[in-house]
Amino acid sequence: MIQENVDITRFTTFGVPARARYFAEYSSADELLKLSRDMRFIHSPILHIGGGSNLLFFDTFDGLVLHSNIRGMVRYDKNNHETYAIVGAGEKWTDFVDWTLDQGLAGVENLAGIPGEVGASPVQNVGAYGVEAGDVIFSVECFDLFTRNIVKFSAEECSFGYRDSFFKHEGKNRYIVLRVSFRLTPDTRARHLDYGPLTALRDSLGHDPSIREVAEEVKRIRDSKLPDPALIGSAGSFFKNPVVHRGQLGEIKALTGHELSGYPVGKMHVKLSAAWLIDHAGMKGAKYGGARVYDRQPLVIVNTGNATAHDVATLAQQVRDAVRSKFLIDLSPEVNYIDSKIHVTMLGTGTSKGIPEIGCKCPVCTSPFIYDKRTRTSALIRTMGQTILIDVSPDFRQQALAADISHIDAVLLTHSHYDHVGGIDDLRPYCAVRDLPIYTTADVEADLRKRYDYCFKENPYPGVPTFDIRRFDDRPFCINGLKIVPITVMHGPNPITSFRIGDFAYITDAKTIDEENMEKLRGVRVMVRNF
């Protein structure tokens, strides 16, 4: 069932060449269970793909790529007001929407024309024109890669957010979607007409639109703005519409002179149009290599025929830089960067006092060489589209400015000595939209809560950094699907946590390592130790 060295470009929509070291398709949970017992499955990174409409491959994926071929759409009528549709993860989303129209079931007509497969709908919480998949999903049946059991999640347990879900975070690379159950309404009348161009549909038709008329209008609008992936490679919308605090809009106007408006999200936030921001930042039609910002919809980056992943990523960064420069807003990609390489930036490699040490006249501290000018220890890891910070030194502000760190997905802490956590307060720019996840042990968490108590109060002072503390022990854990192996080393009598990510290990302040933890380092190809 498992093939080797497979070209998987056909499973993506960008048209950028993509390969996998291993590849397998399955048509049932039993076939997936059998696959999960294969040694190539057990010892390889796993990437599950659907229609590939949100993936950008940078190189051969050095692991196992899985694709679902589970099909089937079944209708269950509970009563005259409620119908459930159970759909296989391998069904095309467009086929499912068309099926609901034929069945006279309302709920997903606003989501017509979205590329991809049904299994991706709860993961991405796909949405358009005022409706999200999470609005109509009742439950999601999954295969648990850790226990090899079939489990079911309710809509509430999926923690749906804007283009977000549980499956993008704690559940990533652990749960594979098998089937999705949707709760729909047996009715041909459309209900969601209060977003964007659909607001004028009732007047233009002269009557209340049907679900089929809404679906046709949505597809017409999409076709007028978005390229056909069969003709022009793209991933659809490349960027998420940014959600900002209402207070931030006033700051932006004061600093830039630009008055921005958007769609209300709750009481305190506003969703802005990323397309408008990109257009008014002057990036519509911008090019880099074989990649171009689409002329008819600046949310889209297209492959003009020979684009590489580097072309696309570079252009995307240029777009983000332009928007940030003009509007002070950071756009987040909706596309997942698939790069199994691990990029490490040593932000600081100095001792606990830094080099040079204040007041010291030794040959090193008075040396003119740049290598003798070192800030205290922090490291930045970039892999699989994520940016992870290891430790937050007292010099972090200086390091972040020098390295132009605009986004951090998570922080790993090795221990609570000041030279490793003294820059905690400088993380506040990365907490503007959400609490920044910090992964640490229980004892380090206790120290942080005492030392930085103002960050953890029930009603913190506006502007202070706020964190989502996530504890780990000596067992492996995942950050957005990225496997992290904690390794305990000893600094005299004090335990310090080091980390292994793939075949890279980061070890700090180690004087001794016992045999059990040495075993966790077996097969490591690159190790950073005692910086």
Side-chain angles (χ1 to χ4, degrees):
M1 295 177 68
I2 297 180
Q3 305 171 57
E4 295 191 18
N5 191 26
V6 177
D7 185 330
I8 57 172
T9 308
R10 70 187 187 280
F11 290 101
T12 71
T13 60
F14 241 124
V16 172
R19 302 192 72 85
R21 183 180 180 186
Y22 303 117
F23 175 80
E25 283 189 288
Y26 58 92
S27 300
S28 66
D30 288 341
E31 288 185 10
L32 184 55
L33 176 61
K34 184 178 179 181
L35 275 170
S36 72
R37 292 168 175 158
D38 190 290
M39 296 305 290
R40 289 166 292 183
F41 188 111
I42 294 170
H43 294 300
S44 299
I46 303 297
L47 175 67
H48 196 284
I49 62 174
S53 59
N54 67 326
L55 303 177
L56 178 63
F57 283 84
F58 281 75
D59 204 347
T60 297
F61 182 74
D62 190 22
L64 173 61
V65 173
L66 295 172
H67 181 256
S68 173
N69 200 28
I70 296 177
R71 301 299 179 89
M73 293 182 276
V74 181
R75 170 179 178 161
Y76 293 95
D77 290 290
K78 182 177 181 180
N79 51 48
N80 293 332
H81 308 290
E82 206 169 51
T83 294
Y84 295 89
I86 300 177
V87 187
E91 292 283 0
K92 290 184 178 179
W93 178 262
T94 51
D95 289 347
F96 167 56
V97 174
D98 290 343
W99 179 83
T100 65
L101 301 178
D102 293 339
Q103 294 284 318
L105 297 174
V108 294
E109 58 275 5
N110 292 47
L111 307 181
I114 294 177
E117 297 177 357
V118 168
S121 62
V123 179
Q124 302 294 334
N125 190 19
V126 297
Y129 301 102
V131 174
E132 295 179 337
D135 298 334
V136 291
I137 287 176
F138 176 72
S139 63
V140 182
E141 181 183 305
C142 299
F143 181 82
D144 186 338
L145 293 174
F146 288 11
T147 66
R148 296 195 178 100
N149 292 323
I150 294 176
V151 295
K152 186 175 286 188
F153 295 96
S154 67
E156 183 178 359
E157 290 171 322
C158 292
S159 300
F160 291 122
Y162 174 57
R163 303 297 181 271
D164 201 15
S165 72
F166 161 82
F167 301 106
K168 276 192 170 185
H169 302 287
E170 299 93 331
K172 189 172 181 180
N173 285 2
R174 174 170 179 174
Y175 299 104
I176 293 178
V177 177
L178 301 174
R179 293 177 181 82
V180 184
S181 176
F182 298 89
R183 182 160 47 195
L184 305 172
T185 304
D187 195 347
T188 59
R189 293 174 299 168
R191 288 169 170 77
H192 301 286
L193 301 169
D194 56 350
Y195 192 90
L198 293 183
T199 56
L201 184 58
R202 181 181 286 108
D203 290 338
S204 65
L205 292 174
H207 61 262
D208 290 338
S210 68
I211 56 175
R212 190 175 295 278
E213 287 171 328
V214 167
E216 290 173 352
E217 177 68 6
V218 167
K219 286 189 280 189
R220 186 194 66 78
I221 296 169
R222 291 182 66 88
D223 290 344
S224 69
K225 292 183 177 181
L226 302 177
D228 182 348
L231 303 175
I232 303 175
S234 82
S237 298
F238 196 95
F239 299 100
K240 300 176 185 178
N241 289 319
V243 177
V244 301
H245 193 280
R246 289 183 180 275
Q248 190 177 345
L249 298 181
E251 295 177 6
I252 291 171
K253 182 178 180 181
L255 293 170
T256 70
H258 298 289
E259 185 168 1
L260 305 179
S261 60
Y263 189 80
V265 178
K267 295 181 179 180
M268 302 303 296
H269 292 84
V270 174
K271 184 196 298 183
L272 305 177
S273 167
W276 187 94
L277 294 170
I278 295 167
D279 187 8
H280 287 76
M283 293 303 290
K284 181 189 284 188
K287 299 179 181 179
Y288 185 89
R292 187 179 84 241
V293 178
Y294 196 46
D295 295 322
R296 289 152 63 182
Q297 171 52 277
L299 259 186
V300 177
I301 293 178
V302 297
N303 178 358
T304 60
N306 61 345
T308 65
H310 174 74
D311 292 343
V312 176
T314 301
L315 180 57
Q317 189 58 52
Q318 290 176 353
V319 170
R320 297 178 71 180
D321 291 344
V323 170
R324 189 188 310 126
S325 175
K326 186 160 187 174
F327 299 109
L328 306 181
I329 290 175
D330 187 28
L331 296 180
S332 297
E334 194 167 334
V335 171
N336 293 304
Y337 291 10
I338 308 301
D339 183 1
S340 51
K341 293 180 180 177
I342 299 174
H343 306 266
V344 181
T345 302
M346 298 302 298
L347 300 174
T349 59
T351 65
S352 60
K353 299 178 183 178
I355 300 174
E357 181 181 333
I358 295 173
C360 181
K361 302 301 180 185
C362 76
V364 173
C365 289
T366 56
S367 165
F369 296 113
I370 189 172
Y371 298 111
D372 291 325
K373 316 293 183 185
R374 293 186 283 153
T375 56
R376 285 164 284 190
T377 304
S378 287
L380 199 69
I381 311 297
R382 291 188 173 99
T383 185
M384 296 298 288
Q386 296 191 66
T387 299
I388 297 174
L389 178 67
I390 301 181
D391 286 342
V392 197
S393 90
D395 306 311
F396 176 70
R397 181 179 183 278
Q398 176 184 348
Q399 296 166 348
L401 290 171
D404 191 24
I405 305 174
S406 61
H407 175 78
I408 294 174
D409 290 289
V411 178
L412 292 170
L413 294 181
T414 60
H415 58 301
S416 60
H417 289 178
Y418 180 76
D419 55 313
H420 291 261
V421 300
I424 286 284
D425 191 78
D426 289 324
L427 291 173
R428 62 178 65 195
Y430 310 104
C431 306
V433 176
R434 58 166 189 156
D435 295 347
L436 181 64
I438 290 184
Y439 292 78
T440 189
T441 57
D443 59 323
V444 173
E445 178 190 359
D447 284 352
L448 290 180
R449 289 185 179 276
K450 290 178 182 177
R451 195 177 305 175
Y452 301 98
D453 64 304
Y454 62 93
C455 299
F456 298 97
K457 291 183 177 180
E458 185 175 348
N459 296 300
Y461 185 81
V464 304
T466 54
F467 306 114
D468 176 9
I469 299 293
R470 303 183 183 184
R471 294 184 188 176
F472 61 80
D473 49 28
D474 59 350
R475 294 170 294 182
F477 60 95
C478 287
I479 300 178
N480 299 335
L482 181 66
K483 185 178 179 180
I484 310 292
V485 180
I487 301 166
T488 302
V489 302
M490 299 304 294
H491 183 59
N494 301 315
I496 306 289
T497 303
S498 297
F499 301 101
R500 176 175 181 170
I501 303 173
D503 55 12
F504 168 75
Y506 181 90
I507 300 175
T508 185
D509 291 4
K511 292 193 174 179
T512 60
I513 307 177
D514 63 27
E515 289 187 11
E516 180 181 351
N517 283 282
M518 281 293 291
E519 184 62 27
K520 294 180 180 180
L521 294 169
R522 184 182 297 275
V524 162
R525 290 195 291 177
V526 177
M527 178 188 298
V528 171
R529 181 180 174 190
N530 284 3
F531 273 99

